[in-house]
Each structure stands twice: as structure tokens, then as C-alpha cells.
Amino acid sequence: MEKISQSEDNHFIPMTSSSSYDDGVISGDVYYYTNQIVNIAMVGKPGESWFLVDAGMPTSGKEILKVATERFGERKPDFILLTHGHFDHVGGLVELLENWQVPVYAHQAEFPFLNGTQDYPEPDDTVEGGLLAKISSLYPHKAINIAPYLEVLPENQTLPGFEDWSWIHTPGHSPGHISIFRPIDRVLISGDAIVTVRPDSLYKVLFQIKEVNGPPRYLTTDWDAAHQSVKTLASLDPEFLLTGHGQVMEGEEMRSQLKDLAENFHEKAVPKHGRFS
């Protein structure tokens, strides 16, 4: 089998928040865990089939394996689902695959960044925003290579073995970004299409100030597509929202903020200056 590898610029990022190591369960079988400043999800009940959503910050593989073992024992996931391939969502992926050897589902438009053939654009440290935007040139952006395990998402918009979930193409933050939604209890896992913290603000990230926001500014390359994705997600009328960054939100307050973001996206999310705005 072809060798897999993390990106050549993969390195530990010394960044954390007050929510690091937090975990909990949403609507029965959606377990979330916060790795430094990013959330992963493990969907499924202990003792039954499950899947992992995203793979955390760089060098987080052992930590994620430990959390998974505590919840599911030695049972490995049926698959790993990637909302997208940015460094803070694939940081532990190679180590997880070396242990589990399971399929990785992603949108085909994201494949070049996951099979080693194309790097993401460099983070935009000129973009309008706070300190975390200004230092974003430090973040890894080169392609990871997990080609032997990559699988295209099913055309029928469901997830294999978990047909109560739908995947939704939500580009803008990256070309192949996806979110997933379960209509029966209206759980939305949005990746970075929307987040529940201001991701360029060091203060708000450190103390996890809850607010529905657009995608991280320093890595978002298509703001028109990002706006359409937010409108698509708002139209789902979710009850529970787990995002790539920030705390879980639920109920009417969350829906009101999400609707406001969709209606006033350019004022609330799009930076006034930057390479992609």
C-alpha cells in the first residue's frame, strides 16, 4: 500500500482554550471532544458502530485514540469523515489511520489537498481581524497524503451505514467543505462553514465566548460560496449545533443568531480587506 504522510509543515501549535478537553453528548449518540481549540465528534453508541468526524490539531493522534478507546473500547470506527482538510481538522489523521486502517470519506473537491497533489493557499495574515489572523502565517497549509484510504462520499447524500445522516456540500471555507445533518433530531455538525466563536480573536477563543460566526477569515477563500453555505445551513432550522470551533449551541437563541448571520453575512462575516475578500 502507498505510504501515507502528514504535511511536510505539520507541527504542534501551542494554542489552547478554556474548553480544551471538554466533552459531552448531544441528543443521545453524538459525542464531542475539544482538542485544544477544535472540536471532533464521535457518532454512535458505545458497543455499536460509530464514525469519527475530523481528526484534530497537529500531533493529536494519541490524544484522540485515548478518547476513542475510553468511549468505545477497542472497537474502531467504521470510517472517518472529514468536513475538510485544513491542518486543524487532519492533525492526528495519519496516526489514527496507522492504528485503525479505515476508510476516510471526503468531498471529491477536497481530494487534491488530501492525496498530496495540491497545497491549500497560504493563510491570509493581511486579512481584517484579531491577533489569531495576524499570526496565521504560522499555521500549516501544505497537503496531507492519505490517498490509499480516501473514499468519495455517496451520491445519495447519506453516510454509509448511517443513513439517518445527510451530508451537505458547504463550500467557501474550502472547495470541498461539507457539513452533516440528522433531520430526526436536527443535529447539525457544521465544520467551519459556521463556528460558534470569533475565530480570529485571541480573547474570544481563549475564553470561548459563544456567538454564531462565519468561517475563519484567514483561511476562507470564496466568500460568495461561504455566504450561500450559511444560508443553506440556516434553512435547516437546526436544534443542536456543533461547529469546528466554539461551544455547542442549541435552541432559539442559536437559530436566531444563525438566521441573522445568513441575512447580514457581508456585514458580520466578510472582512473589509484581505487577499480573498
Side-chain angles (χ1 to χ4, degrees):
M1 179 180 283
E2 178 186 348
K3 183 176 174 59
I4 63 175
S5 60
Q6 289 287 164
S7 65
E8 62 185 58
D9 61 350
N10 186 65
H11 62 274
F12 176 72
I13 306 292
M15 188 180 299
T16 190
S17 75
S18 60
S19 294
S20 187
Y21 307 117
D22 281 1
D23 65 347
V25 176
I26 306 168
S27 194
D29 66 346
V30 180
Y31 172 83
Y32 70 89
Y33 176 81
T34 305
N35 164 234
Q36 293 181 240
I37 60 168
V38 67
N39 298 316
I40 63 171
M42 300 177 184
V43 181
K45 295 178 180 178
E48 300 179 3
S49 296
W50 68 283
F51 66 94
L52 174 68
V53 182
D54 289 339
M57 293 283 280
T59 74
S60 65
K62 285 185 175 60
E63 181 180 335
I64 295 172
L65 283 167
K66 179 177 182 292
V67 173
T69 301
E70 288 173 352
R71 183 160 177 81
F72 296 100
E74 296 304 313
R75 184 166 189 152
K76 63 186 181 182
D78 287 14
F79 57 86
I80 298 170
L81 177 74
L82 295 180
T83 60
H84 61 303
H86 284 157
F87 76 97
D88 50 344
H89 294 259
V90 300
L93 187 54
V94 166
E95 187 163 3
L96 295 176
L97 290 174
E98 288 171 346
N99 281 268
W100 288 336
Q101 294 95 44
V102 296
V104 178
Y105 285 94
H107 193 282
Q108 187 134 28
E110 209 73 1
F111 272 33
F113 314 113
L114 301 171
N115 63 19
T117 61
Q118 183 179 339
D119 296 336
Y120 284 108
E122 292 186 26
D124 184 6
D125 59 5
T126 72
V127 75
E128 179 199 11
L131 180 62
L132 297 188
K134 303 299 183 249
I135 65 170
S136 61
S137 60
L138 301 175
Y139 307 153
H141 71 281
K142 292 188 176 296
I144 192 172
N145 184 6
I146 55 159
Y149 296 100
L150 275 176
E151 299 282 350
V152 179
L153 286 160
E155 291 185 5
N156 66 2
Q157 304 290 122
T158 65
L159 300 182
F162 297 84
E163 284 75 16
D164 51 342
W165 287 90
S166 300
W167 67 265
I168 305 153
H169 188 202
T170 48
H173 185 56
S174 72
H177 191 289
I178 65 160
S179 306
I180 62 172
F181 182 66
R182 185 165 62 185
I184 191 170
D185 52 4
R186 292 158 52 208
V187 175
L188 173 60
I189 301 177
S190 71
D192 286 359
I194 48 178
V195 295
T196 54
V197 69
R198 177 68 183 267
D200 59 278
S201 166
L202 178 61
Y203 174 81
K204 291 185 176 182
V205 168
L206 283 176
F207 295 101
Q208 293 290 283
I209 308 302
K210 281 187 185 182
E211 53 183 69
V212 177
N213 275 277
R217 292 178 168 187
Y218 41 84
L219 287 172
T220 299
T221 55
D222 186 337
W223 287 100
D224 288 338
H227 186 194
Q228 183 57 53
S229 293
V230 169
K231 290 193 287 186
T232 296
L233 296 179
S235 73
L236 298 173
D237 196 34
E239 179 62 25
F240 303 96
L241 174 60
L242 173 63
T243 66
H245 304 273
Q247 298 186 59
V248 174
M249 293 182 69
E250 62 182 90
E252 187 55 40
E253 178 187 0
M254 174 269 292
R255 285 191 294 274
S256 176
Q257 289 190 29
L258 180 53
K259 180 181 178 182
D260 183 51
L261 178 65
E263 292 176 349
N264 300 285
F265 188 78
H266 285 274
E267 294 77 19
K268 291 183 171 294
V270 180
K272 292 181 173 61
H273 59 80
R275 292 204 308 269
F276 306 110
S277 58

